[in-house]
Amino acid sequence: MSNPQQLRYSKEHEWLTAAEDGVSTVGITEFAANALGDVVFAQLPEVGAQVSAGESCGELESTKSVSDLYSPVTGEVTEINQDVVDDPSLVNSAPFEGGWLFKVRVAEEPDDLLSADEYAEFTKS
């Protein structure tokens, strides 16, 4: 499993792109997608919703369980990935590409986000 080096990662298994014009893209990691199993439903935050770092902002339901979705940063949701709502399996098949979940205008970023190497170490069993 290879975590893209340009992303940052939360200990709740979300990834975050570097902000472009103040907006970052959020998704869940391949590690989390594999642990969840086949994702069959995605409840994403609404556009305009305020999200807080480390707080639940949605849910992913799989054939195994329901898991909270956590925001890795504080800010306002600017876009959701309607493709994932329509086809939640994208979270499993392309977690770092087409399976992204939402975009957020970042107001505050926590200090504890991990690099790709730190996340790989964190998820080592």
Side-chain angles (χ1 to χ4, degrees), residues 7 14-17 23-29 33 42 44-45 47 60 69 77-104:
L7 302 177
E14 279 78 29
W15 56 260
L16 178 76
T17 63
V23 176
S24 291
T25 302
V26 175
I28 67 165
T29 65
L44 304 179
V47 171
L60 295 176
L69 171 63
V77 176
T78 61
E79 183 180 346
I80 64 162
N81 188 346
Q82 188 61 45
D83 291 342
V84 165
V85 173
D86 296 339
D87 181 8
S89 70
L90 287 171
V91 171
N92 298 104
S93 63
F96 295 114
E97 294 89 27
W100 63 273
L101 301 175
F102 63 94
K103 294 187 180 187
V104 60

Side-chain angles (χ1 to χ4, degrees), residues 2-77:
S2 178
N3 298 306
Q5 291 291 318
Q6 74 275 18
L7 302 177
R8 283 161 296 146
Y9 301 85
S10 74
K11 291 184 177 177
E12 286 81 25
H13 308 288
E14 279 78 29
W15 56 260
L16 178 76
T17 63
E20 203 170 297
D21 294 327
V23 176
S24 291
T25 302
V26 175
I28 67 165
T29 65
E30 185 176 4
F31 177 88
N34 289 340
L36 272 173
D38 295 333
V39 176
V40 295
F41 178 75
Q43 177 193 349
L44 304 179
E46 292 184 18
V47 171
Q50 295 295 317
V51 294
S52 297
E55 299 290 319
S56 177
C57 63
E59 288 183 344
L60 295 176
E61 184 177 329
S62 72
T63 54
K64 291 181 181 180
S65 67
V66 176
S67 179
D68 282 332
L69 171 63
Y70 296 94
S71 180
V73 293
T74 297
E76 179 183 349
V77 176

